[in-house]
Amino acid sequence: MSTAAHLWQYDPTGGRFTRVRLGDEAAERDIKSVGDEPGTGRLLTVAPDHVGACPWCTSALRLHRPDAIRTLRGTQMYKARWWARWGG
């Protein structure tokens, strides 16, 4: 779950939320989409860049653990998910 300032993970067994730290606190703000890569647990987040015709969109995907940014010029993304093969 995300808030305006932080990212949280819910533990259904413990019935509580734990803050997810991404290393750079600025990277935890305004997240609109988060997903973990099956198999590796690497995180993908999308947060608006507040520019252009779509101020709640971005053209950059942020990867965490290890950190990287992938830019898709000319796009206006609001959400992103890992594309993963299901099954074995």
Side-chain angles (χ1 to χ4, degrees):
M1 179 181 82
S2 64
T3 64
H6 301 295
L7 186 60
W8 301 87
Q9 182 176 24
Y10 182 69
D11 174 10
T13 305
R16 64 188 172 114
F17 287 92
T18 304
R19 185 170 164 199
V20 176
R21 300 195 183 258
L22 298 176
D24 174 12
E25 197 164 315
E28 298 174 23
R29 293 190 194 110
D30 292 332
I31 293 174
K32 301 300 181 197
S33 180
V34 62
D36 56 337
E37 182 180 29
T40 69
R42 189 174 192 193
L43 294 178
L44 162 74
T45 61
V46 174
D49 54 20
H50 305 289
V51 298
C54 181
W56 59 87
C57 299
T58 185
S59 60
L61 302 172
R62 294 188 77 145
L63 302 169
H64 309 275
R65 303 174 187 156
D67 293 348
I69 295 177
R70 299 291 183 257
T71 302
L72 302 167
R73 296 192 192 286
T75 62
Q76 295 180 346
M77 295 179 287
Y78 178 73
K79 301 266 186 195
R81 299 287 187 259
W82 289 99
W83 184 290
R85 185 175 162 217
W86 293 95

